[in-house]
Amino acid sequence: MPLHNNPPLDSSNVTSRAPNFAYALQQAPESPTRRSPPKNWQSDGEEVPDHVERFILDAAPEKEPVDEASALYTSEEERAVLRRLDRRLVLFIALLYMLGFLDRSNIGNAKVAGLVDDLSLNSSQYEWLLRSFYITYLLFEWMPVLYAVLSPSTYIASCVAAWGLIASLQALATSYASLCVLRALLGISEAAFSPGVPVFLAYFYKRDELAYRIGLFISAAPLATSFAGSLAWVITKLGQRSPIAPWRMLFLVEGFPSVVISVFAFYSIPNSPGVARFLTKRQRRVAELRLRREKPRDQQESDRRSFQWEEIWAAVKDPKCYLTALMFCSCNVAFSSLPVFLPTIITE
């Protein structure tokens, strides 16, 4: 149909016309990159020209957003992006959490491997070694707000390198005081990472997709507990044949891998869907488009990581936040207390 014969565009029915790319291309402004759309735009995976995409999104009425899933990408493309994000991002973040959990809880196995005897610790001092970690962990749980300020790849890599280095330095402790300080610093470094992971994942997933991914992330802690004892037994047995005390070997072997992984974290973790190296160019575009409806219309051009105190106060006043905290506390009591006390219970 000739362009001049097309009816004038009515923005009230843009949603129904959006999938018709031939019509959209005719109505959109001229562009140097303009081209005729293929007969089956959605199935061949070809990228929508930018001027058509802007026309479809910007012409939509304020209260009736465009159904981007049917207009700019297919459900198959969206599922492919989710699978790639789950495998390359969520599982890697869960691996980091598992390493951190091993570093915080291996003190239980170090105790029965000679820590108490070498440093002349009593039961009260051992309990304070455990408390020192959680005291600083609680005091510095505000630090994940830095996810909204700093580059996530740099921030996460720094956290992982910090707790890996501190956990390794526990092998050099010569007194109760030095080990207590290191445990406190370990609490700070881990508090900066794990509580902010849901915020970080929100950069890549819709609201209704987050719960499952956060569940996968948290499941790394009990997974670490399931094999921590066996791993500690192997390491301490090898330590008995080395000049290093078995408990020092345990801290060193389980702590230093986090330092190495932090280098991979810096290069592997994307700052946003649009720069994810493990996604193709088309998948990066789909990953960005699918999140547009998650943001208010007047904020689509604003920085996603801008810090806003209003959002902090909204979370403080939301009772669901306290319910979630209670649920996580109940889980944490189970899988965090077992690795630090179970070795002693079995031994004694």
Side-chain angles (χ1 to χ4, degrees):
M1 180 183 295
L3 180 61
H4 63 274
N5 289 336
N6 284 329
L9 176 66
D10 181 6
S11 61
S12 64
N13 61 2
V14 155
T15 303
S16 61
R17 293 182 182 269
N20 188 346
F21 288 103
Y23 177 81
L25 192 61
Q26 291 173 345
Q27 296 298 314
E30 291 288 341
S31 171
T33 61
R34 176 173 168 179
R35 58 187 176 182
S36 299
K39 295 181 179 180
N40 190 351
W41 198 311
Q42 291 181 311
S43 63
D44 65 3
E46 188 172 353
E47 188 170 358
V48 181
D50 291 339
H51 71 293
V52 177
E53 178 183 300
R54 288 194 300 270
F55 168 78
I56 295 173
L57 295 176
D58 296 341
E62 184 72 19
K63 296 184 180 179
E64 189 179 354
V66 173
D67 185 3
E68 298 162 357
S70 62
L72 298 177
Y73 57 87
T74 65
S75 58
E76 289 78 8
E77 288 180 308
E78 184 176 21
R79 286 194 293 269
V81 170
L82 283 175
R83 287 193 299 268
R84 187 69 65 88
L85 287 173
D86 290 343
R87 290 195 298 262
R88 300 294 296 274
L89 182 63
V90 176
L91 293 183
F92 186 72
I93 294 294
L95 172 65
L96 299 181
Y97 185 48
M98 183 180 69
L99 292 174
F101 193 83
L102 285 174
D103 292 340
R104 79 169 70 168
S105 60
N106 58 8
I107 190 171
N109 291 298
K111 179 187 177 183
V112 299
L115 170 66
V116 173
D117 296 333
D118 290 354
L119 299 186
S120 302
L121 303 178
N122 55 43
S123 59
S124 177
Q125 289 175 323
Y126 175 73
E127 291 174 2
W128 272 106
L129 289 177
L130 303 181
R131 292 192 188 104
S132 62
F133 173 89
Y134 285 103
I135 289 174
T136 55
Y137 192 96
L138 291 174
L139 291 177
F140 285 87
E141 274 195 299
W142 58 268
M143 289 185 66
V145 300
L146 296 177
Y147 275 97
V149 180
L150 303 177
S151 168
S153 60
T154 303
Y155 179 72
I156 293 176
S158 301
C159 293
V160 178
W163 84 55
L165 181 61
I166 295 169
S168 300
L169 289 176
Q170 291 180 115
L172 303 178
T174 58
S175 65
Y176 161 73
S178 60
L179 186 56
C180 192
V181 170
L182 289 172
R183 293 287 299 177
L185 293 176
L186 185 63
I188 296 175
S189 60
E190 293 202 22
F193 168 70
S194 53
V197 168
V199 177
F200 173 67
L201 293 181
Y203 299 160
F204 301 86
Y205 292 96
K206 298 178 182 178
R207 292 183 181 92
D208 58 348
E209 299 167 347
L210 274 176
Y212 174 66
R213 276 75 191 183
I214 295 174
L216 292 176
F217 162 73
I218 294 178
S219 65
L223 176 63
T225 304
S226 66
F227 66 84
S230 301
L231 179 62
W233 181 84
V234 173
I235 295 174
T236 53
K237 285 298 182 181
L238 294 175
Q240 292 175 356
R241 302 179 182 180
S242 69
I244 304 176
W247 65 272
R248 296 183 188 274
M249 178 71 75
L250 178 63
F251 282 140
L252 185 62
V253 172
E254 291 192 353
F256 192 73
S258 296
V259 180
V260 178
I261 292 295
S262 67
V263 179
F264 293 94
F266 178 77
Y267 291 102
S268 300
I269 295 177
N271 295 326
S272 66
V275 296
R277 298 179 181 180
F278 52 82
L279 298 178
T280 65
K281 181 180 178 181
R282 174 59 180 165
Q283 288 175 333
R284 288 195 293 269
R285 191 59 183 150
V286 171
E288 289 180 321
L289 289 172
R290 60 189 296 273
L291 296 176
R292 288 201 177 189
R293 297 183 67 181
E294 296 292 299
K295 298 177 63 178
R297 182 81 172 179
D298 57 353
Q299 294 182 6
Q300 287 189 2
E301 301 300 327
S302 64
D303 184 9
R304 140 172 260 163
R305 298 191 183 93
S306 58
F307 182 80
Q308 298 181 3
W309 280 104
E310 293 81 2
E311 296 179 356
I312 300 295
W313 298 126
V316 170
K317 294 183 291 185
D318 190 347
K320 294 190 294 295
C321 293
Y322 298 96
L323 178 61
T324 305
L326 178 61
M327 294 168 58
F328 184 71
C329 178
S330 301
C331 296
N332 204 38
V333 167
F335 59 70
S336 292
S337 59
L338 278 177
V340 296
F341 290 113
L342 187 61
T344 302
I345 294 174
I346 295 176
T347 302
E348 297 180 355

